Amino acid sequence: MKKLILLTFACMLSACNPFSEKKITKGFSSTASVPNPYREKLIGKWLQPIAGQQKEKQGFELQENGTASSLNIHTLLYDGWKLSEDTIYLSYHTEGVKLISKGIDTLVIKEVDDSELILSPIGINVSDAEFYHKEN
């Protein structure tokens, strides 16, 4: 159910996406040009339990070179990421669903440290924040 909600939200974001189709590429060309205190902490695998399947986890991996990948999410595939101040932009595309789409998830960093990340999608209540734990 959570995957369906995320996919629906992603499709809604892509419909209202201010970025042009040409700017959505596989991975971003670079991350922030100005050093950002969040950047080093964000590199790595971030996972959360799947609702209703607490033993299973899903999430994403952010790599130093600006690429990103989905972890245990089979229809929403992340391609790249960019950081601007306290906001992460994750480029994605969907596969294996009726409505194929591309877009960028815009997520505000509420908290981050060496083991925990709290994100809030733009336009969503703070109570809907997503909690992730870093894994090696």
Side-chain angles (χ1 to χ4, degrees), residues 96-112:
V97 293
K98 210 175 215 182
L99 178 62
I100 304 296
S101 66
K102 292 182 184 180
I104 297 176
D105 281 341
T106 305
L107 308 162
V108 176
I109 300 168
K110 296 298 183 182
E111 290 184 37
V112 64

Side-chain angles (χ1 to χ4, degrees), residues 14-125:
S14 66
C16 300
N17 193 341
F19 295 98
S20 71
E21 186 75 21
K22 291 180 182 178
K23 290 185 181 179
I24 300 170
T25 60
K26 186 169 184 173
F28 292 99
S29 59
S30 67
T31 54
S33 58
V34 176
N36 186 305
Y38 295 126
R39 187 164 177 16
E40 289 303 315
K41 290 180 181 179
L42 291 170
I43 305 296
K45 294 180 183 180
W46 295 96
L47 298 166
Q48 65 182 185
I50 297 174
Q53 302 176 34
Q54 297 303 322
K55 292 182 182 180
E56 297 294 322
K57 295 181 181 179
Q58 66 182 10
F60 53 88
E61 181 174 7
L62 304 178
Q63 299 187 8
E64 181 75 33
N65 66 1
T67 60
S69 55
S70 302
L71 301 173
N72 204 22
I73 304 173
H74 306 290
T75 57
L76 179 65
L77 304 175
Y78 291 114
D79 302 310
W81 70 287
K82 187 174 181 177
L83 179 63
S84 178
E85 297 180 16
D86 66 346
T87 305
I88 300 172
Y89 300 93
L90 279 168
S91 67
Y92 69 86
H93 69 278
T94 59
E95 289 184 359
V97 293
K98 210 175 215 182
L99 178 62
I100 304 296
S101 66
K102 292 182 184 180
I104 297 176
D105 281 341
T106 305
L107 308 162
V108 176
I109 300 168
K110 296 298 183 182
E111 290 184 37
V112 64
D113 61 29
D114 294 332
S115 62
E116 185 175 67
L117 173 62
I118 303 173
L119 298 173
S120 183
I122 295 290
I124 302 294
N125 292 334

